[in-house]
Structure formats: structure tokens, C-alpha cells
Amino acid sequence: MNWQLWSRQVDAVAWVEFKRFWLSRRAIGIYIIALAPNFLMLPLLIRPGRAGMLSTAYAVFFEMFWLRLVIFFGCASIFSQFFRGEILQKTLHYYLLVPVRREIVVLGKYLAAFSGTAMLFSLTTISSYLLYWGRSARGRDFLAGSAGIPELARYVAVVIIACAAYGALFLLLGLLFKNPMLPSMFVLTWESLNYVLPAELQRVSIVHYLRPLLPVILPRGPFVILTEPPSPLVGIPGLMLVTAALLVLAGLVLRRTEITYSAD
Amino acid sequence: MALPEDRIVTFDNVSKFYGETLGVNRVSLSFEPGITSLVGPNGAGKTTLMNLMTGLLRPTRGQVQVLGFRPSDSENMFRRVGYCTQFDYFPKGVTGHDLIYSLLRMHGYGRSEAGSMTHRVIDRVGMSDAADRKVAGYSKGMRQRIKLALAIAHEPRVLVLDEPLNGLDPMARSEVIELFCDLGRAGMHVIISSHILHEVDIISDRIVMMSNGYVVAEGDIQGVRSEMEDHPMQILIRCDRPALVASLVFQQDSVVEARIHKDGQGLLVSTRNPDQFYRLLNRIVLDNQLSIEGIEPADENVHSVYEYLIGGSNGGPIT
Ligand SMILES: Nc1ncnc2c1ncn2[C@@H]1O[C@H](COP(=O)(O)OP(=O)(O)OP(=O)(O)O)[C@@H](O)[C@H]1O
Ligand SMILES: [Mg+2]
């Protein structure tokens, strides 16, 4: 086992991939989407007091819009490109012709995508949260109090864990499917309607483990099938395990991947 | 004298199918150090063979070994192997220098070592002036040189080059050929593909002639030429009394074989002189009132390949 060499190789792959993706024109759309919550906060700034200064209001915004849509689709379009884009542009073979294990290519690409995504979405989560509470004296009191910053920290943690888990899933889907958008829609439906499924199936989802980590847990709709929500002590290691398993799977898939694109 | 396994590249009964499409079929070869050329027309299977050798494809059947390693063992393989592919695609926005440098970093070389190796190899292929420009703005020949640089940057022992002379002007061609000869003399395996025999014949120690997924001839250039010339042509004749025809065609010296087809409704004739054979067959048909359903060359490709590659008095085919 040559751990030292492997870590240098992961580093090299991740760094090259990071620059290639995050400093490219492709990433501009992602930056704009990531800024969306801040734009949504702007009307509140102009007319403070319209929306209640409630943790619940931010929680609704965070779960329904930010987590479900922006982070989900953000991860889908970022992570799935890391392999699918390479195949469409017919450049994947460069990575398969260096003395690097294919698992290391997977890990390097994952880290490049994850570090950028997690940083970006954490920053915009923080800024949206500060904008939300910071616009009135009462809100600033809440932030300065004992509950404000810990609540923010939990939101950021959820964002990072969500990026890690959804990221691994979409990296794999990008390797497997020509058009990863279709399976992504399936995953979205699965994740959104998950709570009406039987308990066993609920466990086969990412959102099931993410929700209990949220600082404010919203009530569900009328068709909820109640299950015991997993405790964070189970949820966090569980999601890490799922992430690792998805990455191992991606490694196996890349191992079996053949270059069949044509030369012209 | 057989070389030890860690000095040769071997294909052991290797076949590759793309779904239903044949890539290569039952290839058994062993490459020794020196320059080996894979020659064959478009679709012969040259790229398929090279992709199998480098693990970009997995064989449907059979086994490939490179210096004793499996191509799937990328860690060991690509310390020793460099592959200049036929793919003419590059990551977006990359410069020639960055491409080579970043891939050398992935090998595990440190910054300064990777940096000096990059400069050295770019200089070697004569690309120093353009190295910091984006590959997207390169000419075909410049892209070809950068790919070549990439393949030799880590000083491999086996160099696989898919149509490396494509797009190079005559000057560059002779420079690059000189480079291959140097590497071949230094004891490296240099495996070059081309669809023009006379482009590579003088520099090659060995030629592998391919057509439609099969190796049709193999050996040094004299051997290959005579093998191709001697290769009899097979003709399949569909008729009602194949046994009679078989006995009659043997009058001709140039017929080396006549076999009744399995279904009893035809026969397979091998002849060194097809024209003469067709004339004889006409006579047999008329004399015996045979009913012939069809006549077709059974392996025309070998002959057309031969014509294409070697035939013609003034050089090779138009490409
Ligand atoms: N990805 C693929 N999918 C299906 N068939 C393929 C694929 N790649 C190659 N083939 C088929 O395999 C056969 C061999 O192709 P290959 O590219 O190896 O030939 P080649 O000798 O390299 O030709 P060229 O001189 O055009 O480069 C051809 O019949 C081709 O159509
Ligand atoms: Mg080819």
C-alpha cells in the first residue's frame, strides 16, 4: 500500500479538476444559482416586518427551496458533469492513461466537486441567514443571543452533509447515464415524496437522515406515514457510510468503463 | 530465442466485439522490443488493438499482457507505457504545457521535477514556442506533437502510437520518424499504426497487417510481402453438383484447394489465379449444364487489402 503516493495523486487530480471546473465559464451559472437565496432576501430588506421574524419562516425557506431545489439541483448539475462532461467532450481517456488507480481518479474528482460546492453553498447559506435576521433590531438580538449562531451552524452542517451525500450520488449517476437529468428527476421525486412511503423505503433515502439534523423540523403534509426519525448520532455516520459506499461503487464502475467514443 | 514475459507484449487469442460489431477477432501476437507497425485500412482494427493493449477497452475474449502486467493494472502499466491516441480532443481551455505538466503531477512527480520534465519533452518535440498557447488554437500537426510529447514525457519502455504521422508536414514527419528510430534502437517497444505501408516499412523491424478485424500477415517486411502475394484467393460457388465441379477444377494447377460446403449446395475453392479460374469455371458450367446460383469471393478483403497496401506501382493509396 502506497498511501503517500496515492494521497499525492488524489491531490493532483483534485487540484487540476478544481481549477478546470470552478474557474471556467461553466461554473458561472452555478454561482448565480447559489446567490439565489440572497436575492430572495432582498424584498425582505426593503419591507422589513412583512414576513414574520420566525425561525419557522426561515426553516420553510431553507428546507423547501434551498435544500430541496437549489442544493439538490446544484449538486446534480455539478457532480454529474465531472464524468459525463468528460465523456461528452471525449477527454476521459487522459485520466485512464496515467499510472493512477481509477478509484483515485474518482476520489480526486469528487473532492474537487465537493470542496467547491460545499464552500459555495455554505457561504450563501450564511449570507442568506445573516440577511434574514440582520434586517431588524429584533433579529439582530436573536443572532447575538444564545440560539442564533448554533442554529446557523446546524444549517451549514446540513448543507455540507447534503453536498457530500447528494454529490457522491450524482457523480455515480454521471458515470452511469448518458443523460443524468432523467435519473435526477427520479431521485428528486423519490426524495420529495419519500414521507408517504412505507418505513422501510423511507430509510432508502438521503433526506430521511438529513431532516432530523435540521434545527427546526417542519410538520409534514396529510399523508405522512410516521416513522421514528433517526437520531443525528445514527444519521450522520449513516450518511457518511452511504457517501463512502456510493464512491466505492463509482470506483468499480469507472474500473469497468471502456472508452468507446470514436476518434472523429 | 524467446524473451522473458517482462520484455514482451502479448495478445493471447484476443477478440473484441462492440455489441454485434467486430473490432478484432482471435488475435494472437507477441511484440518484442523494436519498431512494430500495425498496418491496415480504415476499420481494420488498429485502434481497437491499441486500446485493448492500454486497457481503454477490455477484451471480449482472450488476454493481453504488457511486460507481464495486465492492462487493467494502470498503476504498473503506465509507468512503463505511453500511448499517443487517435483522439484529437483536449480539455477545454488547456495549454500544451499545462496539459503535460498536470498529467505528470498525477503520476506523482513533484512540482519542480514535473516542471523540468515538461520543458524537456516539449523541447524534444519542437513545441517550445507554442507551449503556453491554448491547445484549441493549435494546428493539427501541433496537436499531434503535443500528444506525442504526452506519451513520451515519462520515458516509457513501451510506446504506443496511433497514426502518429497524421497531419505532420514532411519535415516534421522525418523528425518524428528519426525520434521513433532512436527510441527503437534504445531497446524500447515502439508500436506504430498506419494505413500506408510504405510510410513505415523501412523503419519497422516487424509489420502486422490487419484487415476487417483479423491479422492477415505478420513478420518482417519481406515475409509479409511474400505471404500476401502467395495468399490464395477463396471463392464460394453455389451450385447443384458441387462434387462434380470440385473434381473438374482440380485440372488447374493454380487451384490449391476445393472443399464441398457443409450444406452440400456449394463448394469453396482456393486459387492463386482467379482470372484463369473464372474462365475454367465458365467452360465447366457450359459443358455440364450446371445451374449456378452464385459466385462470390469468400475473403476478398485480403486481396483488396493487398492491392490497397502493396499493389500499384507508384506508391500507396490516396488517403
Ligand atoms: N465504439 C465503437 N462502437 C462500435 N463499433 C466500433 C467502435 N469502435 C470501432 N468500431 C468498429 O470496429 C472496427 C475496427 O475499428 P478501429 O477503429 O479499431 O479501426 P482502425 O484500424 O483504427 O481504423 P482507422 O484507420 O479508421 O483508425 C470497425 O469496424 C469499427 O466500425
Ligand atoms: Mg484507428
Side-chain angles (χ1 to χ4, degrees), chain A residues 95-106:
Chain A
Y95 287 95
L96 309 188
L97 296 176
V98 281
V100 177
R101 295 174 142 260
R102 294 196 182 178
E103 292 82 355
I104 285 180
V105 176
V106 167

Side-chain angles (χ1 to χ4, degrees), chain B residues 54 84 113 128 132 147 164 172 186 190 204 211 255 268 277 305:
Chain B
T54 50
C84 172
E113 201 177 2
S128 299
D132 291 320
K147 287 197 296 182
V190 183
S204 305
S211 162
V255 171
L268 204 59
F277 173 77
V305 167

Side-chain angles (χ1 to χ4, degrees), chain A residues 263, chain B residues 41-48 50 83 86 162-163 193 195:
Chain B
N42 294 131
K46 305 181 294 292
T47 300
T48 303
M50 292 184 154
Y83 183 17
Q86 204 177 7
D162 202 353
E163 311 211 0
S193 80
H195 46 269

